[in-house]
C-alpha cells in the first residue's frame, strides 16, 4: 500500500473554490484522499452569483461531503477574501492588464495571482476545454511552458518568461489536462452525482436559476452536461447557439439580450 494511503499528507492543500463544476470536482477528488483541504473563495461584490456560490453551493456541498463515508480529508473553514482586501502588487496588475489587452484575459487572474503570493502552490481549476477560446492557454503557449508537480501542472520557470511567472508562477493547475466530460465519467464512477447537482456556475441567473445565456452555461452545453440547465435555459442556450452559428456573434448577442429581458419579466 502506498504511504499516502495510510498517512495524511502534511500541510493543507489550498484551493480556489468557486462552487462551480471544475473546482468542485477537484474538491470531491481531494475529499477522497488523506489530505487537509483549505478552501479559499475570492468575493467580488459585483458578481451577481456570489450568494449562490458561497452561501448555496459551497455550504451545501461541504456539508454533504462531510457526511459521506468515502471522505478521508479534513476540511478547514473556508477563507473568504474580498477583492478589495487582496494585497496589491503593481507588477502583477500591470501584467494582467497587458494580457487582457492581448488575449482578453479575465481580471480574476490579477486577483488569483496576488492571492497566490499569500498561498504559494494554491490550486486553481482550469480544465481542458472541448471547444472554444481560452485566454489563459493562449498566454501559456506564448509566454512559457508548464511542468508536472506532485499535485498538478506548474509553471516551468526555466522555460518561461516573467509574464507567465507573474500570472501563474505560484499557482498549481491540477485538472489542466482533464475535460469536463472526463470529470463527469469519474463523478459517475464514484457515485457523486448527488453532490454535483448542487454546483453553481451561471454568472447571471434568471429568477434564481441558470440562465442558459452566459459563457459558463454554454460551456456546460458544449461539455455534454446540459442536464445541469433547467429546461427553459436549455431552450435559450440551444437557440443562442443556433443563431450564432447561422448569423454570427453579433446576432447572437442581440438574441441573448432580448431573451434575458423576456425571461426576467
Amino acid at each position: 500500500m502506498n504511504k499516502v494511503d495510510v498517512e495524511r499528507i502534511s500541510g493543507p492543500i489550498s484551493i480556489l473554490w468557486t462552487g462551480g463544476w471544475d473546482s468542485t470536482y477537484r474538491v470531491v477528488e481531494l475529499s477522497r484522499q488523506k489530505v487537509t483541504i483549505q478552501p479559499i473563495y475570492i468575493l467580488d461584490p459585483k458578481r451577481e452569483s456570489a450568494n449562490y456560490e458561497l452561501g448555496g453551493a459551497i455550504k451545501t456541498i461541504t456539508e454533504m461531503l462531510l457526511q459521506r463515508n468515502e471522505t478521508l480529508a479534513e476540511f478547514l473553514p473556508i477563507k473568504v477574501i474580498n477583492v478589495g482586501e487582496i494585497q496589491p502588487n503593481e507588477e502583477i496588475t500591470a501584467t494582467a492588464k497587458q494580457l487582457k489587452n492581448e488575449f482578453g484575459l479575465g481580471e480574476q487572474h490579477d486577483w488569483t495571482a496576488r492571492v497566490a503570493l499569500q498561498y504559494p502552490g494554491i490550486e486553481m481549476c482550469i480544465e481542458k476545454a472541448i471547444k472554444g477560446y481560452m485566454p489563459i492557454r493562449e498566454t501559456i503557449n506564448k509566454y512559457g511552458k508548464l511542468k508536472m508537480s506532485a499535485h498538478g501542472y506548474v509553471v516551468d520557470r526555466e522555460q518561461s518568461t516573467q509574464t507567465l511567472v507573474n500570472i501563474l508562477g505560484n499557482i498549481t493547475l491540477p485538472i489542466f489536462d482533464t475535460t469536463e466530460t472526463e470529470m463527469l465519467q469519474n463523478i459517475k464512477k464514484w457515485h457523486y452525482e448527488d453532490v454535483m447537482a448542487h454546483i453553481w456556475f451561471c454568472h447571471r441567473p434568471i429568477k434564481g436559476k441558470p440562465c442558459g445565456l452566459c459563457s459558463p452555461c454554454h460551456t456546460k452545453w458544449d461539455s455534454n452536461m446540459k442536464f445541469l440547465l433547467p429546461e427553459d435555459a436549455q431552450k435559450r442556450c440551444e437557440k443562442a447557439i443556433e443563431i450564432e452559428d447561422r448569423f454570427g456573434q453579433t446576432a447572437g448577442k442581440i438574441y441573448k439580450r432580448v431573451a434575458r429581458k423576456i425571461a426576467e419579466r
Side-chain angles (χ1 to χ4, degrees):
M1 183 177 289
N2 193 296
K3 189 176 181 181
V4 74
D5 293 326
V6 294
E7 251 179 48
R8 184 174 298 280
I9 295 174
S10 62
I13 296 177
S14 298
I15 179 169
L16 291 163
W17 192 7
T18 65
W21 178 273
D22 302 327
S23 57
T24 301
Y25 168 83
R26 178 56 175 166
V27 169
V28 166
E29 187 176 45
L30 287 172
S31 76
R32 296 162 54 84
Q33 304 173 34
K34 290 191 175 183
V35 299
T36 300
I37 301 171
Q38 176 58 77
I40 294 175
Y41 180 88
I42 299 178
L43 176 61
D44 177 10
K46 298 180 294 184
R47 188 179 175 94
E48 294 181 40
S49 58
N51 288 336
Y52 297 96
E53 295 167 348
L54 189 57
I58 291 175
K59 181 176 183 294
T60 300
I61 291 167
T62 300
E63 291 172 352
M64 292 180 73
L65 291 176
L66 289 174
Q67 292 173 5
R68 292 187 71 116
N69 292 331
E70 302 94 333
T71 296
L72 302 176
E74 174 189 357
F75 280 79
L76 297 178
I78 189 167
K79 291 186 178 181
V80 179
I81 302 175
N82 193 294
V83 167
E85 296 173 353
I86 301 174
Q87 189 71 25
N89 183 292
E90 292 183 1
E91 184 176 358
I92 287 176
T93 298
T95 299
K97 288 180 178 178
Q98 169 204 327
L99 295 173
K100 180 180 180 180
N101 292 332
E102 191 170 1
F103 298 118
L105 196 72
E107 63 179 339
Q108 73 271 16
H109 288 283
D110 176 20
W111 309 336
T112 55
R114 287 187 281 131
V115 167
L117 293 176
Q118 298 175 260
Y119 301 92
I122 189 171
E123 293 192 356
M124 182 166 67
C125 296
I126 299 173
E127 85 285 7
K128 181 179 180 180
I130 294 175
K131 61 184 291 187
Y133 174 81
M134 294 192 72
I136 192 65
R137 287 184 180 268
E138 296 296 327
T139 298
I140 293 167
N141 290 339
K142 179 172 180 179
Y143 289 106
K145 294 183 180 297
L146 302 180
K147 64 180 181 179
M148 182 59 74
S149 71
H151 294 286
Y153 286 97
V154 296
V155 170
D156 186 336
R157 290 173 178 262
E158 293 183 358
Q159 299 192 64
S160 300
T161 67
Q162 191 61 40
T163 296
L164 189 61
V165 171
N166 286 346
I167 292 299
L168 290 178
N170 291 297
I171 290 172
T172 302
L173 305 171
I175 59 169
F176 197 68
D177 260 351
T178 308
T179 67
E180 290 194 335
T181 300
E182 290 168 336
M183 293 181 222
L184 179 58
Q185 291 171 351
N186 285 334
I187 289 299
K188 288 181 176 180
K189 181 175 69 175
W190 300 335
H191 305 295
Y192 280 74
E193 294 97 325
D194 59 331
V195 173
M196 299 304 284
H198 293 278
I199 66 164
W200 190 266
F201 51 88
C202 179
H203 282 175
R204 296 187 61 195
I206 295 175
K207 297 180 181 178
K209 297 180 180 181
C211 66
L213 299 169
C214 67
S215 178
C217 283
H218 279 231
T219 298
K220 295 297 167 285
W221 185 279
D222 291 338
S223 301
N224 300 317
M225 291 191 289
K226 65 180 181 182
F227 62 88
L228 292 170
L229 299 170
E231 187 176 349
D232 55 349
Q234 288 186 33
K235 292 178 180 178
R236 289 191 291 267
C237 188
E238 185 173 24
K239 189 66 175 179
I241 292 171
E242 178 188 341
I243 290 174
E244 286 182 351
D245 288 345
R246 291 185 63 186
F247 304 108
Q249 289 188 352
T250 300
K253 288 179 181 179
I254 293 172
Y255 165 76
K256 290 176 185 179
R257 286 199 298 268
V258 173
R260 181 173 293 280
K261 287 182 179 179
I262 293 172
E264 288 175 344
R265 288 177 182 170

